[in-house]
Amino acid sequence: MKKVHLFSATMLALTLAGSVQAQELTGKHPQQSKFYLKVTGGYFFSVFPGQFPNVGPFPPQDLHTEYNPTRPNPLDTISRKVLTGSYGEGARGGIAVGYNINKYMAVEASFNYYHSRKNLMTKNLTTLAGSGKQLTSVESHGYVNAIDFAPSLVLNPGFEKVNPYVRVGFVIPLWGRLHIDTDVDQLTSPAGIPPGTMVQTIIHRKEEVKPNITLGFQGAIGVSFYVSPRIDIFVEGEYRNVPVRSKEKDVTAFEQTNNIVNATTGAVVAPVPGQPTRSLGDLSVAERHTKYVTTLDKNSNTPINQIGSKVYYRNDNEPSNDLKSYINIGGLGANAGIKIKL
């Protein structure tokens, strides 16, 4: 009889245990894995602006000069301003995979796409004394596109409804380009053209600067809000410091036209004899490709002459050399997004 009672008690205990487990699986709060996904978007602002790199022969400045042919030195500087800024201002979006080590600690790995705002990198304006007529205008604008991988550690107090957290980690750029667009509009008065006319040269040029491998830092403070057993939303402030140095540069688009124009109205009279339109295929290897170095010396492939817009190098059939430059694509920003608990 005792064995029957013991067997009955054991079966009852197993039945109750199974019932409790079934309630946990099918109840209001289903079992969750420790993994989660995050989708985020935000906007960042420049924190530590610096001086922009040179754009070819043009330094990072806003320069206005005046041309007066009656003076021994015909060019007079009207104003000069150094151009500073950062490529850390722009929009960023990404997706992250996280794993909860415990209630208070998690690790994340995110992939992010970044597009910076466009920055004025150089501006040169030359006007004619007395009339203010524009003789030369050179403007370059640059912006950055980048994809990065960002591993991080997340710490939080483990609150259920409103849970603040701190996130720290690294930023590893996987791909990126600094795009530079340059427009030139120049009026000259060479010998041999009809009276009352000038030669107008218009150049449009696009360049892509490729970066070296680098390592940056990220840190964020945020708050996560409970929405449902599977969904949280979050807002955070984030700081990123990602210095990038140039590796090489390619000219991806180039178009130059030379026309004789009416000096008063600007109407095109005729193409300039002997100065045909130049395109990307007309550039030498040295004009199209640049490799950045830390030091320039007598063995570097640097310019030796220039006629019009055509630049001649020590070896036109090899990539040219220029000094490395540095930019920062980090900044201080705000993010918001959704967290999906798997």
Side-chain angles (χ1 to χ4, degrees):
M1 182 65 69
K2 290 182 178 180
K3 291 183 178 180
V4 172
H5 288 169
L6 180 60
F7 176 78
S8 300
T10 302
M11 292 301 295
L12 178 61
L14 291 174
T15 301
L16 291 174
S19 176
V20 171
Q21 185 177 18
Q23 288 177 7
E24 290 179 350
L25 291 173
T26 60
K28 184 177 179 180
H29 300 287
Q31 275 194 339
Q32 298 173 359
S33 83
K34 291 189 174 184
F35 288 95
Y36 60 87
L37 292 175
K38 290 172 66 176
V39 179
T40 181
Y43 194 86
F44 283 70
F45 297 90
S46 171
V47 178
F48 300 112
Q51 186 169 303
F52 288 125
N54 292 350
V55 182
F58 300 104
Q61 60 183 12
D62 184 348
L63 175 64
H64 181 192
T65 57
E66 189 176 67
Y67 179 76
N68 190 337
T70 64
R71 296 176 181 172
N73 185 3
L75 281 180
D76 185 24
T77 299
I78 304 300
S79 64
R80 186 193 303 267
K81 176 184 177 182
V82 175
L83 295 175
T84 60
S86 169
Y87 290 97
E89 181 174 350
R92 178 178 280 106
I95 185 169
V97 178
Y99 177 78
N100 292 305
I101 299 174
N102 54 43
K103 186 178 180 180
Y104 310 104
M105 185 183 302
V107 289
E108 287 185 8
S110 65
F111 292 89
N112 305 280
Y113 174 77
Y114 175 68
H115 178 78
S116 80
R117 70 182 293 269
K118 188 173 287 189
N119 294 282
L120 177 63
M121 298 182 66
T122 188
K123 182 177 181 180
N124 284 262
L125 176 65
T126 301
T127 54
L128 183 63
S131 67
K133 180 182 179 63
Q134 175 182 298
L135 297 178
T136 302
S137 172
V138 180
E139 281 197 28
S140 295
H141 294 83
Y143 64 93
V144 167
N145 289 334
I147 296 174
D148 66 60
F149 172 68
S152 59
L153 176 68
V154 184
L155 303 174
N156 69 90
F159 299 157
E160 291 187 4
K161 299 296 184 181
V162 180
N163 193 23
Y165 62 87
V166 174
R167 176 168 54 81
V168 293
F170 299 100
V171 181
I172 305 170
L174 301 178
W175 173 89
R177 294 290 185 271
L178 168 59
H179 301 269
I180 304 174
D181 294 342
T182 301
D183 290 289
V184 179
D185 189 343
Q186 184 178 43
L187 290 173
T188 56
S189 300
I193 63 173
T197 64
M198 303 182 76
V199 172
Q200 182 182 40
T201 300
I202 297 178
I203 299 173
H204 178 65
R205 176 187 180 106
K206 289 187 176 183
E207 301 164 282
E208 288 186 2
V209 180
K210 302 175 184 178
N212 273 292
I213 297 175
T214 187
L215 182 66
F217 166 80
Q218 59 158 324
I221 298 176
V223 180
S224 181
F225 300 93
Y226 175 88
V227 175
S228 74
R230 294 287 188 185
I231 301 295
D232 288 350
I233 59 174
F234 63 90
V235 292
E236 63 182 21
E238 181 181 8
Y239 172 72
R240 287 181 165 225
N241 188 342
V242 190
V244 180
R245 59 176 180 168
S246 56
K247 180 180 180 180
E248 56 187 18
K249 178 179 70 175
D250 293 321
V251 178
T252 59
F254 184 90
E255 183 178 355
Q256 174 187 347
T257 58
N258 304 289
N259 290 306
I260 298 174
V261 299
N262 186 293
T264 303
T265 65
V268 175
V269 176
V272 178
Q275 295 187 29
T277 297
R278 295 182 76 206
S279 61
L280 183 63
D282 299 316
L283 301 183
S284 67
V285 174
E287 288 179 296
R288 289 198 310 270
H289 304 291
T290 301
K291 290 186 176 181
Y292 291 98
V293 295
T294 54
T295 303
L296 292 175
D297 55 30
K298 63 180 181 179
N299 297 317
S300 301
N301 194 17
T302 52
I304 57 174
N305 194 16
Q306 181 171 350
I307 299 177
S309 67
K310 183 172 178 56
V311 181
Y312 295 88
Y313 292 81
R314 295 178 184 274
N315 187 343
D316 288 332
N317 297 317
E318 294 289 337
S320 59
N321 296 128
D322 201 354
L323 290 174
K324 288 183 179 179
S325 58
Y326 297 82
I327 63 173
N328 195 312
I329 60 173
L332 181 64
N335 297 316
I338 183 171
K339 176 180 177 182
I340 304 171
K341 291 166 278 188
L342 304 177

